[in-house]
């Protein structure tokens, strides 16, 4: 599945979500399903230089999963910042900086709808938008962390 976060015609973030299944299970997954995502958004250069950006990007994913009550196991991934400068035929493009969150986890609850909703929130948070309000969780389930801090959105069109 792919998705783009767009506000007023500007693409602020995009990503992919893949659900893998191996009926025999995978030892590394600790299960027979695995969710894989790559989420990308443009950032202001000052934000991209923040030494805590990696930890913050990872926390966005973990907080989103918890906020939606999406049980998971064996999470792993990377948070990458990328600065691009363009040359030659592309030299008229302004430089850009991006964050990429690449992650995978094993859904431990069979509630794929919750994992999809969490991924949607991750896309919005990376785009600088607040997360959607999570649905009410059944009694006894963990409440949202409330520690998600959205980044300021970059409001200029991406070069194509």
């Amino acid at each position: 599945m792919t998705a783009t976060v767009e506000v007023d015609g500007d693409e602020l973030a995009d990503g992919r979500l893949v659900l893998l299944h191996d009926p025999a299970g995978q030892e590394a997954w600790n299960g027979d399903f695995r969710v894989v995502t790559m989420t990308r958004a443009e950032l202001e250069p000052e934000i991209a230089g923040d030494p805590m950006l990696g930890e913050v990007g990872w926390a966005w994913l973990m907080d989103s999963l918890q906020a939606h009550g999406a049980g998971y196991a064996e999470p792993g991934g990377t948070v990458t910042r990328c600065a691009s400068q363009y040359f030659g035929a592309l030299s008229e493009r302004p430089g850009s900086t991006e964050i990429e969150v690449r992650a995978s986890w094993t859904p431990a609850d069979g509630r794929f709808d919750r994992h999809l909703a969490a991924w949607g929130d991750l896309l919005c948070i990376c785009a600088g938008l607040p997360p959607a309000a999570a649905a009410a969780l059944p009694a006894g389930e963990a409440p949202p962390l409330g520690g998600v801090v959205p980044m300021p959105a970059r409001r200029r069109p991406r070069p194509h």
Side-chain angles (χ1 to χ4, degrees):
M1 166 176 286
T2 61
T4 301
V5 176
E6 189 175 304
V7 174
D8 299 329
D10 292 338
E11 291 182 14
L12 302 179
D14 60 69
R16 290 183 291 241
L17 184 75
V18 178
L19 180 61
L20 303 174
H21 177 63
D22 182 345
Q26 291 281 327
E27 187 175 332
W29 298 355
N30 194 22
D32 56 354
F33 283 97
R34 188 79 174 165
V35 176
V36 180
T37 186
M38 192 283 293
T39 302
R40 178 182 56 205
E42 193 168 347
L43 297 174
E44 294 294 338
E46 302 79 33
I47 295 170
D50 187 328
M52 294 298 294
L53 181 62
E55 289 83 0
V56 169
W58 188 252
W60 291 339
L61 172 60
M62 297 292 102
D63 287 355
S64 294
L65 290 167
Q66 186 170 2
H68 287 277
Y72 62 90
E74 308 301 329
T78 61
V79 177
T80 305
R81 65 188 98 211
C82 178
S84 298
Q85 186 175 351
Y86 300 93
F87 299 94
L90 302 177
S91 64
E92 292 187 24
R93 288 186 181 182
S96 64
T97 52
E98 294 181 326
I99 183 173
E100 284 186 355
V101 178
R102 296 177 186 222
S104 65
W105 63 92
T106 299
D109 55 9
R111 294 294 311 265
F112 301 118
D113 58 328
R114 293 180 180 187
H115 295 269
L116 179 60
W119 176 68
D121 271 1
L122 176 63
L123 278 170
C124 289
I125 294 164
C126 286
L129 302 173
L137 299 175
E141 291 197 30
L145 289 179
V148 173
V149 178
M151 289 233 200
R154 183 164 197 145
R155 298 255 179 188
R156 67 180 174 102
R158 288 181 180 218
H160 297 292

